[in-house]
Structures are given as C-alpha cells and as structure tokens.
Amino acid sequence: MESSTEQARNVMQSPRSPSSQPYLSASVTDPVKLGNGVQAYISYRVITKTNLPEYQGPEKIVIRRYSDFVWLRDRLFDKYKGVFVPPLPEKSAVEKFRFSAEFIEMRRAALDIFVNRIASHPELKQSEDLRTFLQADEETMERFRFQETGIFNKKPADFMQMFRDVQSKVSDAVLGKEKPVEETTPEYEKLKHYIFELENHLAEAQKHAYRLVKRHRELGQSLLDFGKAVKLLGACEGEPTGKLFSDLGTKSELVSIKLQKEAQQVLMNFEEPLKDYVRYVQSIKATIAERATAFKQHCELAETTKLKEINLDKLMLTRSDKVGEAEIEYREMKAESEEATIRFERIVKRMNEEIVRFQEQKTEEMGVAFHQFAKGQARLANGIADAWRALLPKLEAASSA
Amino acid sequence: MMGSENADGFEETNLNVPKEEMENLVLNGDGTGDVNGDSSNSAYRSAVSTLSTAHDPLSPLPTVLTPADSDPLTAPSSYIEPPSYADVIFSPFDETSDSEINGGEDSSLSPDSLSRSPSSSSSDYIKITVSNPQKEQETSNSIVGGNTYITYQITTRTNLPDFGVSESSVRRRFRDVVTLADRLAESYRGFCIPPRPDKSVVESQVMQKQEFVEQRRVALEKYLRRLSAHPVIRKSDELKVFLQVQGKLPLPMSTDVASRMLDGAVKLPKQLFGEGGASAVPVHEVVQPARGGRDLLRLFKELRQSVSNDWGGSKPAVVEEDKEFLEKKEKMLDLEQQIINSSQQAESLVKAQQDMGETMGELGLAFIKLTKFENEEAVFNSQRTRATDMKNLATAAVKASRFYRELNSQTVKHLDTLHEYLGMMMAVQGAFADRSSALLTVQTLLSELSSLQARAEKLEAASSKVFGGDKSRIRKIEELKETIKVTEDAKNVAIREYERIKDNNRSEVERLDGERRADFMNMMKGFVVNQVGYAEKISNVWARAAEETSQYDRERQSS
C-alpha cells in the first residue's frame, strides 16, 4: 500500500467524525502474466474496501488488466471535464515482451497509485464508472471495454493534435494575434504558459534521473569487472600483495552489488515519481485542450443563439408564418448555448480547484521522492564507505611491514 | 588543449598524466620513480581543475577551491575540502603528506612503506621537464629546403653530484630520443630499461598536429623521468649527455637494422679489452653501419644458430638454469596479461565514476532551473515549498557531483600505477630478450668452435699421414689454430657477458618485483583510502539533504 497516497488522501479529505467516516480504498496487487507471445498481458487483482452504500459490500476483489484501467481513465476524462484525471503509466508495447520483474512491479505500483488517486478525489470517487471498474465481473468489464473503445477511443495522436492546437493558440496569443474564439484572461494565460514550461523542465529532470539510474548500473558493472581483474592479478603476485588484491577484488564486487540495488531504488522511488509528474502535466494539457474546445463551443453557440434571436425578431416584425419554427429553433439553440456555457464554467471552476490540489499534491509527492532519494544515496555512500574501510587495517599493516 | 576538455578526452588523461601535473612531479631520491604516486597539491589541483572546471555546468558557482600557488614540494593536507568536512577521516593520508616537506616522499607513500632498496638518501632528486615544442627546419643544400621537425625543450634540475650542474636545458628532437634509447639498450643489456615512446607514424598522420605534439611531449617527459628514476641508468653517460650537452646530440645514431642486430657481435672486441658492461663503454665511439666481413658473418651464423635451436637442433649449452628462467618468463607473461586486464578495467571504472559525477551534476542543474522556475511563477505556497525542497536536492546533487569528480581524479592517479607497470613489463621483456640474445651468441660461438676444432682435427689427421708435412696444410692448420684461439677467447668473453647479463636480469627483476609490490600496495591503499574518504563526504551531503526533507519521512510515521 502506498503510504504516500494514504497521506495524500488524508490531506485531501475534509475532517469529519472518525467512526462513521466514509472510506473507499483500493489496492492493485498480485500481477500475473497471462497469455503467450504477442497476446501476452498482465492481470492484476484489484481489492476494494469500503463502507459506502453504493458498493456491494465491504470488500470486493476483481481481476483487471491494463486496458481496463485505460477504459476507466478515458471515461473519467470524458465525463469530468476540467478535472485533472490521474495519468496512467505508458502502454509500452516493447517492454511487454520483456516483462521483467522490476517492470511489472513498477507498473503495478503506478496502477495502484492511479486507482487510489481516483478513489480519493472528491468528484471522481463518486463516479459510476469507477464503481463499474471496481466491482463488475470480468465478462461485464470486457463488454464495457469493447463497447467504448470504438466511440471514445482517444488515440495518442488525437491528444497530440489537441496539444498542437492549444500550443499554437498559446503562441498566437503570445505573438499578439488575437483569435476571437480563445480565452485570453491573463491568469489563464499565465497558467497555460506555466504548464507548458513546467513540462519541459520536468522532462529534462526526468531524463537526467533516468541517466543517473544507468550510471549506478554502469558503475556497479565496472566495479564488478575491476574486482575480477584485480583478483586475477593477485593470483600472479606473491604474498602479501596477492592476498590484498584478492580482498580488494572481493570488496569491489560487494560494492558493485550495493550499487545495483540502489539503481533499482532510484528508478522506483525517484525517476518514476518524476515521470508521473510529467504525465500529470500532460494530463493537464489535455484538460486545457478540452477547456479550449468547450470555450469555443460556448462562444459559437452564444453567437448562433444571438443570430437566431435577431432572426426571430425580424420574423416577428414581419409577422411571418415561420415565426413558430424560428421560435422553437431559437429556444433550442438558447438551451444548447446555456448548456455549453454551464459546461465551460464548470470546467473553469473545476480547474481552479484542481490546480490548487495539484500543486499541493505534487509538493507532497515530490518531497517524499526527494527525501527517499537523499536517504538512499546516503545509505549507499555509507555502505560503500564501510565496505572499503574494512580493508584499511590490513592495508596499513601490510605497507608498514 | 589536452583533450581533457571533454568527456572523451578523459581517457587520454588517464593514460597521459595532465601536463600541469607532470610539470610539478617530483621524483623521490631513492630511485623508485613513482611517477604515478605523486599527489602533490598542485598536481591534484590541476588534475581536478582540468576535469571539473571544464565540465562544470555550474560555472557561476564556485569551483573547487584552489589554494594559492604553493611549492609543489610541500604536500599539505592535499585535499580540497569543503569547509564543513574538515574533520573527515583522512588521517592516514594526511599524516603522511604532512610528514614530508622537502620533496622526497610522495604523499601517497607512507614513510615506512620503503620496502624499496634504500640506495640513496631521500634528499636526492632529479626533475625533468619537457616543454615548449617548436618547429625547426633541417639545414639543407637542396633548393627544395630541408624537412621540418619538432624540437622540445628539456630542462633538468638535480642535485645529483654526477651531473655537475644543478640545472640544464637543451633542445632535442624525437630522433635524438630514439638514439638515446638505442644506445642505452646496447650499454645496459639485461637491465629492465623503460621503453621509449613509439614512433607512431600512422598516428601522426591521423591526429591533429597539435594534439600529436602534445601527446608526444607528455610521453617524452614520462620516459625521461622513468629513466632518471632507474638507479643505474640515471648515472649513465648516455643520459647525462642527452640532458646536458648543448647543440647536436653527441651520441652515435642508429642508422640501420643490421647494425643494431650486430650489437652483440660488435661489442665483443670492446669487451675483450674493457670492463664489459655498463660504465665503460666510451660514448663517443662511432658504430660503422653495415660492416662487411666477419661481423656480418657472425650475424648470419647467429641467425642460423637460432634457427637450428628452434628446430630442435643442437641443445642449448646450459639447460637447468633455463628451466628456472623459462618459468620466470612464463610468470612475467602471465603477470603482464593480468596487468593489462586490470588496467583496462581500471579505465572503465574511471569512466564510470566520471559519468556518475557528470550526470549527478546535470541532475542538480536541472533542479536548480526548476527551482528558479517555480519561484518565479509561484502562485501558491505549495509551489514555494516545492522550490525549496528542490533546491535542497539540487545543492546536494551538485556537491555530490563535485566529490565524484574529485574522487575520480584521485582514482586516476592511483590506478595509473597499473599503466606504469605495463611499461615496466615491456622493460622486463627487453631484459629477457637481451639474455636470450646473449645466450644465442654463446651457442653460436660454441658450435662454431666445435666445428673449427673438428676441421682442425681432420686436417691434423690428414697431414700426419703425409710424412714431412704438407706445407700448405700445415699453414692451414696454423691459421685454423689462430682462428680457434680467437674464437675461444670470443667464446669466453661471450660467456662472461651472458653471465653478466644473467646477473643483471636477476637483480633487476628482483628490484622490480620489490618495487612493484610496494607500488601496488600503495596503489591499493591510496585507492581504498580515497574511496572511503569520498564516500563519507558524499554520504554527509545526502544525509544533510535527507534531514532537510525529513518532514516527508513516511517510514517513521505510524500508519
């Protein structure tokens, strides 16, 4: 169980009376590889614990696969526009074939965080789709999944196009080209700029974090090889040099193991959170695109409604027999327009709340990541110092002999 | 400049010690020539600055502190320590470095590690610097003009009595170095003479001229320093002449292969009359190229002999010693292999440490940018908090990065011992080769002798049958007997020479074995002390960062 998410959840929930406090928690566990070759996939156990009346009982266990999670995310993204829907780990068709233990574990952890973030989000946790996800049996889930992929299938390409649109709009605004169907409030502009810049910075940090993991592994490997070489060298030399080389080689191999272990830790506890941060920012960009669409709709419909109104007035003046029709049209258009406005305003409201939440959540999560990283590095360095230090008495003795 | 400005150049730095370091290198007087063990302050400083400053992405931030220019002979606590870690455990290192002030010991050697032969007091020193390459032109009568070549300035500072003057400076070209090496090889057969730098014709075409010249300068310096570190060779006339005589190098040049191969043969007459060996060879003697007659004949005979040896012909004169020698040779070859292997792995290790430091630094830099960004764009307090957290991380990462790079420049110096000994293994091979060729000379003469004697016997037998003597035969017999006598003498000289070379071999190998052991132990010690020290420093840096983010510690919280 991710204690950091628990913490995050506690931060987010409003304080209430403890005993009857409604709770909803889910965990993603027990990854199992199923199928063969290209068809291979991993299935997970999703365990839900809750006292909410909408759920079937205090505990429920279902089996889910990655595409089920994708379904859930797509549904939420579609229904809760304006909310920063938590991101999913990448599909990674390549890794799938290798399915290393570490990869599987990292994916499981990421999916666990995903579900828990949803379950602790004030709006999202009430979603029906979430309930379906957490409770439906596998066949039902599969049916849902196949149904939706057709209609709501947002391929990465779609998102990319949306990003480009938004980005071009942002840059146009920056260049001073006023496009009528674009929000240009200074605060929102600032936010958009912030998000886009943030992604760049984070991507760079994540890149270096990933490289750092590699460096740990490389250093470990080179120490291993060095240790072996030095042992062979020791075998050629007489005493006491021979034994010293042998000890040196053994220590070198030991330090190498420490480095490999730490590499994995850095990957899981530091690089992955940074990647998650980047994904989150990308999710926000998608939301920004949605908002732009909603704004455009709201403007266009308002415009159209206006035109219809003018037309109606005209017809009323000329006492045309088309008035009835026009009036119906006008009313329908007005209703649509009002709906569009409501939708847009809801997005705005949500985003304002979300951004606060996002910043706090990220400060917390990154703080934890930094702390763990620092601790890990300190532990590693200490371990290395201890290992080498053990050799010193012998070396001292030998060189003064 | 040195190619050490970029990460790839670092590998060069590994093999060729940075220029600044070499300039300040002090060899200690007991002839151990530990060119690599030196960790004099300025050497360290320059090695570090070469590695870290050029690389340091955080140029506005203060780089490694460099103490004001100090006498390279003083070796203070030779670490650049950030103020807060002054008390980190470095005592074995510091003690040693503090104890020797007048340029005897390297800081990396503890005074009591002198398992080396204490042949001279620790106040002897000789310091050679190669610098200032310049293009010069051969004077030529032809219209086209002569070739251009590079000369280097070679400065020697010493207090050795043999040298006469305490400071001298000459200009030499690479060809002169080849000459020096060849003359030394002739005079010091059986000794483990440090190998000279390669001629590397191909490289000179491929590399940039400047790079090549610099590489060569460094290699020359190393070579000369190694020579001057050898207890016997440093006193040689050849070396003295090379280092001190102005103008044209007054050593006979090696003109062709044949004359070099004639070495063994050519020396014989000298050794008949002089004290065969190191000190007595008159240096100004000119070796005539391609002598005809007897010496060439000898050359061919020796070749024939060696062929017959190889093909299981006549057995070598001395058998049992050869076994021991062969064993030793085997061991040396094996050792050489392992040294090669180890030095390769050492290079990889150094690269990996370098990369770690670099990436850590880049990570820190990325977070510094993020910090700045969040602070500038902050709308919420949570952002400012995050900015602070990032700054802690970034600072730690940058510090750690610096330490990795310092660690690495030290590691380079220590593990360089392995590279040095590769050179020395070649010297050993050379010494063994001298022995083999001397043996070959002996064997050639022995079989020559026996065939001459057989002929003499035959002639005597034939002429004794002719009553009153066969004038022409008798004359032949007398001539033959003359030849036999000379050959006999030559054989004896050759045997003496062979024995002498065997002795040289033995004592040299012993000397080297002892030196190698001591050097390797120092290397290990230095390497380990270094690793411990820097690991501690790095650990402290991160412990601090962990403390500063301790409010995010979830492990301690009761959940």
Side-chain angles (χ1 to χ4, degrees):
Chain A
M1 221 11 205
E2 284 296 316
S3 48
S4 61
T5 354
E6 265 176 30
Q7 192 64 22
R9 207 181 315 129
N10 292 334
V11 167
M12 301 310 153
Q13 284 173 355
S14 46
R16 285 214 239 160
S17 59
S19 48
S20 60
Q21 191 171 350
Y23 70 89
L24 171 69
S25 82
S27 52
V28 177
T29 63
D30 296 321
V32 173
K33 183 176 165 195
L34 296 174
N36 289 312
V38 193
Q39 308 292 333
Y41 66 96
I42 304 177
S43 77
Y44 306 87
R45 280 216 306 177
V46 180
I47 305 171
T48 309
K49 294 192 176 121
T50 178
N51 65 357
L52 295 178
E54 298 89 356
Y55 285 80
Q56 315 158 5
E59 185 171 312
K60 178 92 185 194
I61 300 178
V62 294
I63 305 291
R64 294 287 177 256
R65 52 187 288 186
Y66 181 81
S67 27
D68 296 328
F69 290 81
V70 173
W71 171 88
L72 176 62
R73 188 180 189 271
D74 288 346
R75 300 286 300 174
L76 294 175
F77 182 78
D78 204 62
K79 293 227 180 98
Y80 291 86
K81 296 199 205 278
V83 169
F84 300 157
V85 180
L88 279 174
E90 288 82 12
K91 179 80 179 158
S92 150
V94 178
E95 285 279 352
K96 213 168 92 150
F97 288 102
R98 287 189 267 136
F99 272 167
S100 70
E102 289 98 6
F103 169 76
I104 291 175
E105 170 53 26
M106 273 175 53
R107 173 157 282 197
R108 184 209 64 77
L111 292 175
D112 185 276
I113 292 178
F114 169 75
V115 175
N116 274 289
R117 278 177 177 157
I118 295 173
S120 51
H121 189 283
E123 276 201 75
L124 296 180
K125 72 184 180 188
Q126 296 167 40
S127 134
E128 196 182 311
D129 293 316
L130 177 66
R131 285 201 287 281
T132 307
F133 177 82
L134 291 177
Q135 300 189 103
D137 59 67
E138 281 76 64
E139 291 92 40
T140 314
M141 190 68 238
E142 202 173 316
R143 230 184 317 122
F144 268 104
R145 202 175 68 231
F146 278 131
Q147 259 179 22
E148 304 304 337
T149 42
I151 309 167
F152 293 104
N153 191 17
K154 282 244 162 59
K155 296 190 214 79
D158 299 335
F159 283 125
M160 282 318 298
Q161 188 52 46
M162 285 158 76
F163 296 159
R164 274 186 227 114
D165 288 342
V166 179
Q167 256 178 326
S168 73
K169 281 175 188 149
V170 168
S171 59
D172 282 345
V174 165
L175 292 169
K177 283 193 233 163
E178 299 274 61
K179 281 215 180 132
V181 220
E182 179 66 24
E183 270 184 273
T184 49
T185 56
E187 280 138 13
Y188 188 55
E189 285 303 310
K190 185 168 182 218
L191 175 69
K192 281 191 284 185
H193 176 263
Y194 169 77
I195 291 294
F196 279 84
E197 277 301 303
L198 182 63
E199 189 188 8
N200 293 334
H201 285 299
L202 287 176
E204 201 188 319
Q206 185 256 322
K207 183 177 80 173
H208 292 303
Y210 181 70
R211 275 200 202 140
L212 191 67
V213 171
K214 255 186 24 179
R215 301 305 188 207
H216 278 74
R217 293 199 174 124
E218 285 160 7
L219 185 58
Q221 185 60 44
S222 72
L223 274 168
L224 187 69
D225 294 335
F226 180 71
K228 291 200 180 111
V230 151
K231 271 177 166 171
L232 286 173
L233 181 57
C236 290
E237 294 277 29
E239 296 311 325
T241 325
K243 179 81 179 28
L244 288 173
F245 269 127
S246 166
D247 290 340
L248 186 77
T250 309
K251 275 302 170 207
S252 204
E253 291 169 343
L254 205 114
V255 171
S256 158
I257 293 172
K258 287 184 201 276
L259 278 159
Q260 298 292 359
K261 283 202 182 128
E262 180 63 18
Q264 190 57 25
Q265 293 300 310
V266 173
L267 185 68
M268 286 197 330
N269 299 330
F270 184 65
E271 196 261 347
E272 182 61 24
L274 275 170
K275 260 211 324 238
D276 175 76
Y277 202 164
V278 173
R279 286 184 208 127
Y280 234 114
V281 171
Q282 285 167 347
S283 168
I284 296 176
K285 279 165 78 177
T287 306
I288 287 174
E290 285 291 328
R291 175 164 161 165
T293 309
F295 179 74
K296 188 167 163 204
Q297 267 180 5
H298 143 85
C299 285
E300 281 171 2
L301 283 174
E303 186 84 19
T304 315
T305 307
K306 194 99 197 164
L307 288 172
K308 288 257 186 252
E309 192 180 2
I310 291 169
N311 190 39
L312 180 65
D313 287 341
K314 244 199 300 194
L315 287 175
M316 276 169 72
L317 278 174
T318 63
R319 291 179 199 270
S320 161
D321 48 346
K322 293 198 181 133
V323 167
E325 229 181 276
E327 194 158 4
I328 295 171
E329 270 180 36
Y330 165 70
R331 286 218 186 90
E332 280 175 355
M333 190 57 50
K334 185 158 180 219
E336 254 187 75
S337 170
E338 278 165 4
E339 263 177 50
T341 305
I342 289 171
R343 277 202 300 269
F344 170 70
E345 282 171 355
R346 187 165 57 208
I347 290 180
V348 173
K349 178 168 183 287
R350 275 182 179 149
M351 273 186 79
N352 289 337
E353 287 163 4
E354 287 287 281
I355 198 74
V356 178
R357 211 164 170 271
F358 166 71
Q359 297 287 21
E360 282 173 10
Q361 184 178 319
K362 276 311 165 188
T363 299
E364 168 69 22
E365 285 169 359
M366 290 319 293
V368 170
F370 294 157
H371 180 74
Q372 285 195 303
F373 178 67
K375 258 172 73 171
Q377 290 292 302
R379 215 178 286 138
L380 173 71
N382 266 328
I384 291 177
D386 289 341
W388 290 121
R389 207 182 289 117
L391 285 179
L392 285 178
K394 273 187 242 177
L395 285 169
E396 286 287 350
S399 57
S400 54
Chain B
M1 214 254 279
M2 251 296 297
S4 52
E5 242 89 294
N6 50 44
D8 304 305
F10 185 77
E11 262 136 29
E12 281 178 47
T13 316
N14 201 13
L15 300 168
N16 306 303
V17 183
K19 173 181 178 172
E20 300 87 323
E21 178 177 340
M22 291 305 275
E23 279 177 6
N24 297 313
L25 200 60
V26 174
L27 298 171
N28 46 15
D30 60 356
T32 50
D34 186 24
V35 297
N36 49 285
D38 175 66
S39 65
S40 68
N41 191 47
S42 49
Y44 163 65
R45 176 207 329 152
S46 54
V48 170
S49 59
T50 325
L51 292 165
S52 64
T53 331
H55 262 304
D56 200 336
L58 308 155
S59 26
L61 295 177
T63 51
V64 172
L65 302 173
T66 57
D69 275 303
S70 50
D71 185 345
L73 298 181
T74 58
S77 50
S78 54
Y79 283 42
I80 313 280
E81 297 185 16
S84 35
Y85 306 115
D87 53 354
V88 165
I89 304 165
F90 273 114
S91 29
F93 227 82
D94 286 343
E95 270 165 21
T96 349
S97 58
D98 280 321
S99 65
E100 295 299 331
I101 305 238
N102 22 312
E105 299 298 301
D106 299 333
S107 325
S108 63
L109 288 173
S110 65
D112 21 32
S113 81
L114 288 176
S115 45
R116 290 129 174 244
S117 45
S119 50
S120 27
S121 73
S122 59
S123 64
D124 279 357
Y125 78 90
I126 171 167
K127 181 174 148 190
I128 301 181
T129 321
V130 176
S131 59
N132 208 0
Q134 268 173 26
K135 208 184 261 192
E136 288 184 24
Q137 193 158 46
E138 264 174 21
T139 49
S140 161
N141 296 327
S142 83
I143 308 160
V144 197
N147 289 336
T148 59
Y149 57 91
I150 307 279
T151 62
Y152 303 84
Q153 184 172 342
I154 301 175
T155 313
T156 311
R157 285 194 201 102
T158 177
N159 65 356
L160 293 176
D162 299 315
F163 272 76
V165 284
S166 63
E167 181 162 337
S168 47
S169 189
V170 295
R171 280 216 152 254
R172 296 281 179 241
R173 58 186 287 189
F174 188 75
R175 210 167 60 184
D176 296 334
V177 176
V178 174
T179 305
L180 171 67
D182 291 342
R183 301 287 78 76
L184 286 174
E186 287 163 9
S187 310
Y188 290 91
R189 300 183 74 207
F191 280 82
C192 297
I193 310 175
R196 67 157 167 78
D198 289 332
K199 285 184 185 165
S200 64
V201 172
V202 177
E203 269 182 5
S204 68
Q205 319 279 33
V206 170
M207 292 175 76
Q208 299 284 14
K209 194 66 181 169
Q210 222 188 358
E211 250 181 271
F212 175 73
V213 168
E214 176 56 21
Q215 213 181 62
R216 178 159 274 190
R217 185 199 64 78
V218 168
L220 289 180
E221 204 173 62
K222 245 192 179 160
Y223 171 63
L224 291 173
R225 286 181 180 182
R226 281 203 196 115
L227 285 183
S228 61
H230 191 293
V232 176
I233 290 181
R234 74 185 348 195
K235 301 196 179 119
S236 70
D237 291 336
E238 287 92 342
L239 184 62
K240 266 184 248 164
V241 159
F242 181 90
L243 292 175
Q244 298 190 310
V245 174
Q246 297 288 344
K248 188 168 179 306
L249 179 69
L251 288 177
M253 272 177 45
S254 327
T255 45
D256 62 283
V257 176
S259 70
R260 253 178 271 137
M261 284 181 77
L262 286 171
D263 278 351
V266 160
K267 283 297 180 265
L268 280 175
K270 263 192 275 182
Q271 283 151 8
L272 274 176
F273 304 114
E275 307 273 314
S279 41
V281 173
V283 163
H284 51 268
E285 183 171 309
V286 176
V287 168
Q288 303 304 323
R291 283 186 185 180
R294 197 161 169 253
D295 293 321
L296 264 180
L297 190 58
R298 189 168 299 277
L299 165 66
F300 294 141
K301 281 182 185 156
E302 291 195 359
L303 278 175
R304 191 185 61 200
Q305 182 69 24
S306 72
V307 167
S308 78
N309 279 354
D310 288 344
W311 287 86
S314 57
K315 280 197 171 170
V318 263
V319 182
E320 68 282 277
E321 266 176 323
D322 270 11
K323 272 214 189 93
E324 208 182 289
F325 171 64
L326 285 170
E327 259 173 41
K328 188 69 182 172
K329 208 167 159 192
E330 273 297 306
K331 270 181 107 180
M332 280 295 162
L333 275 171
D334 195 20
L335 180 67
E336 183 175 343
Q337 252 326 105
Q338 298 315 325
I339 294 182
I340 290 174
N341 188 26
S342 301
S343 90
Q344 276 169 354
Q345 300 310 332
E347 266 193 58
S348 297
L349 174 61
V350 158
K351 174 147 204 315
Q353 276 180 170
Q354 175 73 2
D355 287 344
M356 177 71 103
E358 239 178 70
T359 302
M360 188 67 85
E362 284 167 347
L363 182 75
L365 186 63
F367 274 108
I368 287 185
K369 286 193 210 155
L370 255 172
T371 302
K372 202 160 158 244
F373 175 69
E374 288 282 12
N375 272 325
E376 281 169 4
E377 305 272 333
V379 173
F380 304 101
N381 277 332
S382 55
Q383 284 172 284
R384 294 194 189 91
T385 309
R386 195 177 334 130
T388 310
D389 294 334
M390 282 180 183
K391 183 138 178 253
N392 288 332
L393 183 83
T395 315
V398 164
K399 282 192 187 147
S401 155
R402 218 171 278 156
F403 283 140
Y404 269 109
R405 285 184 265 186
E406 283 178 23
L407 161 71
N408 209 28
S409 67
Q410 292 287 57
T411 304
V412 165
K413 288 192 306 194
H414 291 125
L415 295 184
D416 219 38
T417 310
L418 291 166
H419 297 309
E420 292 291 316
Y421 272 94
L422 276 182
M424 287 322 288
M425 292 316 287
M426 273 176 69
V428 170
Q429 300 298 344
F432 286 171
D434 287 342
R435 174 178 162 147
S436 298
S437 85
L439 180 62
L440 182 62
T441 307
V442 168
Q443 288 166 0
T444 312
L445 287 170
L446 280 173
S447 78
E448 171 94 353
L449 201 57
S450 71
S451 70
L452 284 173
Q453 278 165 347
R455 260 172 60 199
E457 273 169 31
K458 251 213 253 169
L459 276 177
E460 274 181 356
S463 81
S464 71
K465 291 192 181 121
V466 175
F467 202 71
D470 182 334
K471 272 226 173 68
S472 73
R473 262 207 198 106
I474 286 170
R475 209 183 347 121
K476 274 202 194 122
I477 291 171
E478 274 172 23
E479 273 175 19
L480 206 52
K481 287 226 164 101
E482 214 24 67
T483 309
I484 288 175
K485 184 169 188 312
V486 173
T487 310
E488 183 85 39
D489 288 338
K491 177 204 81 171
N492 290 332
V493 167
I495 290 179
R496 277 211 314 265
E497 173 74 352
Y498 173 62
E499 292 297 327
R500 189 182 64 85
I501 289 178
K502 272 197 332 197
D503 278 338
N504 289 342
N505 258 198
R506 239 191 307 264
S507 63
E508 279 283 89
V509 168
E510 219 177 276
R511 178 181 69 87
L512 264 185
D513 273 351
E515 270 184 28
R516 191 182 65 250
R517 254 173 229 131
D519 281 339
F520 277 171
M521 279 206 285
N522 279 322
M523 171 185 80
M524 281 191 267
K525 189 166 141 198
F527 174 76
V528 170
V529 166
N530 203 32
Q531 292 286 336
V532 172
Y534 279 101
E536 284 174 357
K537 288 185 182 187
I538 291 172
S539 164
N540 286 340
V541 158
W542 288 115
R544 179 114 155 255
E547 231 177 81
E548 281 162 352
T549 52
S550 59
Q551 79 254 42
Y552 299 103
D553 191 341
R554 302 292 155 243
E555 283 169 25
R556 283 208 207 105
Q557 298 201 353
S558 48
S559 47

